[in-house]
Amino acid sequence: MPIRLIVHGGAWNIPEDQQEAHVFGVRKAVAAAWPLLQDGASALDVVEEAVKHLEADTTLDAGRGAFLNSQGEIELDAMIMDGRNLNFGAVAAVQNLLHPVSVARRLMESKEFRMLVGRGAQDFAKREGFTQLDPQALLTERELAFYDKIREDASFQSKAPFGPLPGDTVGAVAMDIHGQLAAATSTGGTPRKWPGRVGDSPIPGAGAYADNECGAASTTGWGESIIKILLAKTVTDFENQGHNAHKAAAMGIAILAKKVSGLGGVITIDRRGNYGWARTPPKMAFAYWDTERETIEAAISV
Ligand code: GLY
């Protein structure tokens, strides 16, 4: 089977002075995870590894560098999904963890529960031996300054960042040598969100979806709109109907825009191994391994 890997680092109006850092971040994630895929690693291992690199990148709104909520704290959401059996793991509103995607993976493999939130997710991570960081360890000066700027601004809306403001969600989709698909997504959510607010990213079908018989997808953008149309599932449903990944992504985004005036982007791989991506905001950072040119393509789509 062809092997494939595509990642994103958010869809919003990425200003010119931040574009290079975004392209660098998504390229680095593919560069780190692609060799694993070549060595026969599972799609699940590869999407987890790629997302861990994106979570560690301070440019992006996931793990280190995430937005602050209305109390000035970082709360993270993440999920991972296995296209072989529709199994998934998800955590929401977790704190002090650099890699919530790995906690989601561990939860998926624990078999008993699929999704944990807040303190329960935190306790699970602790029990499983994940390092609990000092809250400062995830904080960046950029996000602190942004929080200070918006904290008392009555006109600020959580969907504003999909205009000309910093950051967004990360994600990865892969197909391994056995033709298995997987997807993973991780986020700090929206800026100044209400504590406990859960966006699209950890919701199966909204933030990510993977089904070997259809395709796999990871989304980014304004969660309150993406949840309404289950964007990732909508795209893979189109793939199941026979549309290639490119067309399915465009059709999903058209529904997001038309039905709910949504803002967001999606990356996807269909079951035949085609790549697809589409977005409503002006720009999306993404990278994939181009198997024809045998190199990484990393770009801000405009
Ligand atoms: N897409 C990230 C969020 O809205 O939480």
Side-chain angles (χ1 to χ4, degrees), residues 77 162 168-169 187 189-190 197 199-201 219-224 226:
D77 304 338
F162 309 106
D168 194 26
T169 303
T187 190
T190 49
R197 176 267 190 188
D200 58 307
S201 302
T219 68
T220 167
W222 180 35
E224 277 69 14
I226 291 171

Side-chain angles (χ1 to χ4, degrees), residues 179-201:
Q180 317 286 1
L181 288 162
T185 302
S186 183
T187 190
T190 49
R192 216 185 67 179
K193 65 186 180 182
W194 194 271
R197 176 267 190 188
V198 176
D200 58 307
S201 302

Side-chain angles (χ1 to χ4, degrees), residues 234-246:
T234 297
V235 168
T236 58
D237 280 350
F238 284 132
E239 290 168 342
N240 192 34
Q241 290 163 18
H243 298 288
N244 69 29
H246 180 73

Side-chain angles (χ1 to χ4, degrees), residues 17 37 81 117 122 177 261:
D17 64 352
L37 207 48
M81 185 157 180
V117 304
Q122 210 75 38
I177 49 170
S261 301

Side-chain angles (χ1 to χ4, degrees), residues 18 20 23 44 52 57 71 86 123 130 147 149-151 159 163 170 181 185 189 198 261-262 265 277 291:
Q18 292 190 39
E20 199 180 318
V23 172
L44 268 179
K52 281 172 73 175
D57 190 321
Q71 293 185 341
L86 310 191
D123 288 348
F130 287 92
Y147 173 70
K149 193 170 141 197
I150 64 170
R151 62 193 295 185
K159 69 176 184 181
V170 305
L181 288 162
T185 302
V198 176
S261 301
W277 58 86
T291 41

